[in-house]
Amino acid sequence: MTTENQPQGTDLTDGCFHCGLPIPRAAHYPVTFEGRPRETCCGGCQAVANAIIDNGLGGYYHHRTAPAGSPGEPLIPDELRELKLFDEPEVQRQFVIDETDRASGKVLREASLILEGITCAACVWLNERHVRAIPGVAEFAVNYSTHRARVRWDPERLVLSDILQAIRAIGYRAHPYDPGTRDQAFRRERHLALRRLAVAGLGMMQVMMLAVALWLGAGDETHADLLQFMRWIAAGLTTPVVFYSALPFFQSAWRDLRQRQLGMDVPVSLAIASTYAASVYSVALGTGEHVYFESVAMFVFFLLTSRYLELMARQRSSQAIDRLDRLIPALAVRVDASGRDEQVPVTQLVPGDRVRVRPGEPLPADGVVDEGESTVNQALLTGEPEPCLRRTGDAVTGGTVNVDSPLVVRITRVGAETTLAAIQRLLDRAQTEKPRLARMAEKGTGHFVAAVLILTALVGLTWYVWIAPDRAFWVVVAMLVATCPCALALATPVAITTTTGVLSRMGLLLTRGQAVEDLARARVFCFDKTGTLTIGRPEWIGTQVLAPGWNEQSLLSAAAALERHSEHPLARALVRAAGDRELPRVQDLRNSPGRGLAGCLDAQEIRIGTPEFVGLERVPDDVRPPPAHGHATAVWIARGGQVLGVFWFADPPRQQMEQTVTDLRELGLEVVLLSGDRPEAAAAFAARAGIDEAHGGMTPEDKVAYVRARQSRGEIVVMAGEGINDAPVLAGADVSLAMGSGTRIAQTQSDLVLMSDRLEAIPAAVRQARRTLRIVRQNIVWAVGYNALALPVAATGLLTPWLAALGMSLSSLLVVGNALRLRQEDRNLPARLSGQPALHAAVVRPARDG
């Protein structure tokens, strides 16, 4: 059978859908691909094909240029064969990108993975440490909230399947990120957690009823046999709770111990196993003493409840990122060379394809309008409520919605190269890069567990030798349960994930998690002017005529005749100012970069540009900018050596510029303007914005030197910019913020990208960062304080095992609930910026590299 819409060279004849070999008469190994059953020749091909399709990589069958080899030769395990598929270039096109490492200059590969089996922060730490030790792995970071991992590796030293094998070797499963697969993994995780919780809950209720009867009948010799029978029933009811519901704790603890680490599930598993074993031993002896099956069941139930609620909180806190997965449609209408439409999966699209997008439909990938004119709603990306007009030749972004008229779009980027994929990588990096407080908490968890185990052993020995030998074991159990450091491990990850979603709704893309802590502690906020505090689009504001016989309209016509051949922002402003009038024809056009344009108009040379370029040796004293625009830019025009006039341009400031500066100053930040404009123009603009300190005429090196000078005083500096010349200072600042409309190189150096271009989101982000840091500190203080209080109480014997389990679970839930308070909107944030998902990055708009 054949596959529809395959490129040339991929026809698989009527043989096996996977390998192309003939299908035996009696063989029936079907797979479902694109809604149709496909036949394979054997179970091996069926397993491999299902592995490819189930992992969202069905595009492999459209992009390959030759049939796959038979999986029967060579004979290797099915699991290894599945992993090896992810090394195929055709498969990696869907989720792997190549990028040059700035430090080494090598070309590294980067992929986003989903990890299954993550149950706590210790699992994250174990995976990160294990994978980073593999030679050739440059970076590996796991997002605890979403279970997504970002890995970068050297393709000359290892392949992706080696990394996946290493992860499976320590008891976890990893596969390339795919929205459908991720949702399935989340559903499996939720359903399994609910089943384990249900078994633990039912077991706990039944065992508690028996425990009440055993407590009331304690010492009744006349019913000793009945009481013993009830103890055996309690043991039977507790057994599935221990060996099914509590299984994840034992698995996690065993993984930790195999790696010679002490995670938080080690004391939990010791407490469950020892209490259950001691109770069974007591029942087997027939003594009837020290039977704590209800404590075991309650402990497991409370712990599973807290972890299930934590799971749901993690998934809710990552909803802002999840929205991205739903922006791209599953199908697209491709237009072939003859103009005929055919519906194909989006994964089949390649650069150069033409797709038809009807009104109301989302764009399937990044591209350029090839035919038609319509407005495009970018609200889900930029937060801007008004649709933007797009004509032939304009760039459009996958995930935005066509509003008015049909468009034919030529695809330019697909798969891992698209805008949304780039945004997801930045968000992943933000959530997987941990602030200093989080790294300190993670490092402290292992030492804390070791200290608790040692102290618990000493306390148990003390009780056994000097106080009450019969109570020593239960004091040890209570200490192990009460001091489980779950709350400490949860203190930071949930807060950072929640804040990432809140910032995205404000219109800010957080690309590094460390930026939250640094932004909260910052004291100096430096702004570039052009394109940052201004909109970056200069407008003509007036003309000063200097030669008789000319007027403003005639000068504009002559200037626009020249400038319509230029893409410079000032040239575009002049053409806009000239309007729709008919322009004279210019011959012999010449461009002097950085100086101006020259050409022949009515057999005379006309020049427009700098004073020197037009032949002006000294600027006349009576030539001054308009009174309301002391920072205006001048462009001169001359004909035949005679200066005809000067055009004045101003770059309008962004809305809410003054209010933004005021808000930052009220937050205790010192606001500074660093500009390459003339010092007097920079000073005039700063005075208008309410900025006390302004530095003009600065080169990129001057800006870097200024930031380093402030940092040398121990100050944390934030820098906001948007141009290529801002990239060095953005890289050198403690926190860098780039404008969404700026150049791509500036944004790659930035910790935050302002997607909506609304400056009022900046002080709101500072307030959010400070709230986040405050809540993280509250969580850490609470987690440490609770353990510091619970440990001595448990050591004195006043805390029973089940009460310790309840306190530990409530402690974890309190930390998660406190972090979720960050989802509340900033009261000082304008309503138009709150609740509007705005996920947009530098890669959306065409880069302005000048």
Side-chain angles (χ1 to χ4, degrees), residues 24 108 303 306 444 520 540 555 821:
L108 302 179
L303 190 56
S306 67
W540 169 76
L555 285 180
R821 289 196 301 125

Side-chain angles (χ1 to χ4, degrees), residues 75 86 127 137 154 186 215 284 288 374 394 396 453 479 519 584 596 620 625 680 706 730 783 786:
L75 294 176
F86 297 125
N127 276 275
V137 174
D154 184 352
F186 272 172
W215 292 338
S374 180
D394 289 344
V396 289
L453 293 177
M479 290 184 64
L519 185 62
E680 56 273 18
Y706 178 86
L730 290 173
Y786 166 77

Side-chain angles (χ1 to χ4, degrees), residues 392-620:
T392 301
D394 289 344
V396 289
T397 306
T400 57
V401 179
N402 181 22
V403 177
D404 296 323
S405 306
L407 291 176
V408 175
V409 176
R410 187 174 299 278
I411 301 300
T412 57
R413 288 192 292 252
V414 296
E417 301 296 329
T418 61
T419 293
L420 292 181
I423 296 175
Q424 286 181 321
R425 287 193 296 272
L426 291 175
L427 290 172
D428 283 340
R429 183 175 71 180
Q431 294 190 342
T432 54
E433 288 188 0
K434 303 175 180 67
R436 282 184 291 268
L437 286 174
R439 294 195 295 268
M440 290 173 59
E442 286 184 1
K443 291 179 180 178
T445 299
H447 300 300
F448 178 82
V449 171
V452 165
L453 293 177
I454 294 172
L455 184 59
T456 300
L458 293 175
V459 171
L461 183 63
T462 302
W463 272 85
Y464 186 80
V465 175
W466 289 289
I467 304 177
D470 59 328
R471 296 189 60 196
F473 177 76
W474 304 110
V475 170
V476 168
V477 171
M479 290 184 64
L480 290 174
V481 173
T483 56
C484 177
C486 295
L488 183 62
L490 291 171
T492 302
V494 179
I496 295 297
T497 301
T498 303
T499 285
T500 302
V502 172
L503 290 178
S504 71
R505 292 197 298 273
M506 293 180 186
L508 274 164
L509 178 65
L510 179 68
T511 68
R512 289 183 176 88
Q514 178 60 45
V516 173
E517 184 177 347
D518 288 338
L519 185 62
R521 297 167 53 226
R523 287 295 175 264
V524 181
F525 208 116
C526 299
F527 282 101
D528 174 54
K529 182 177 79 70
T530 304
T532 305
L533 291 178
T534 65
I535 64 174
R537 187 187 180 196
E539 296 291 344
W540 169 76
I541 58 172
T543 304
Q544 191 169 349
V545 182
L546 301 177
W550 291 83
N551 57 39
E552 182 178 273
Q553 297 303 320
S554 59
L555 285 180
L556 280 174
S557 296
L562 279 171
E563 298 287 23
R564 65 179 173 179
H565 301 287
S566 173
E567 293 298 320
H568 193 280
L570 295 179
R572 292 183 175 183
L574 268 175
V575 174
R576 287 195 299 270
D580 297 330
R581 72 190 67 184
E582 186 176 350
L583 301 176
R585 186 177 182 85
V586 177
Q587 298 177 337
D588 193 21
L589 188 71
R590 301 181 304 280
N591 181 21
S592 297
R595 301 180 64 205
L597 286 173
C600 288
L601 182 64
D602 296 335
Q604 283 190 295
E605 185 184 57
I606 186 169
R607 291 189 169 213
I608 184 169
T610 64
E612 296 80 10
F613 182 70
V614 300
L616 190 65
E617 296 180 358
R618 187 178 66 85
V619 176

Side-chain angles (χ1 to χ4, degrees), residues 291-311:
V291 178
Y292 285 92
F293 291 118
E294 75 283 354
S295 294
V296 175
M298 290 179 69
F299 176 39
V300 174
F301 178 75
F302 289 147
L303 190 56
L304 288 176
T305 299
S306 67
R307 292 200 175 180
Y308 179 76
L309 294 176
E310 173 205 333
L311 168 67

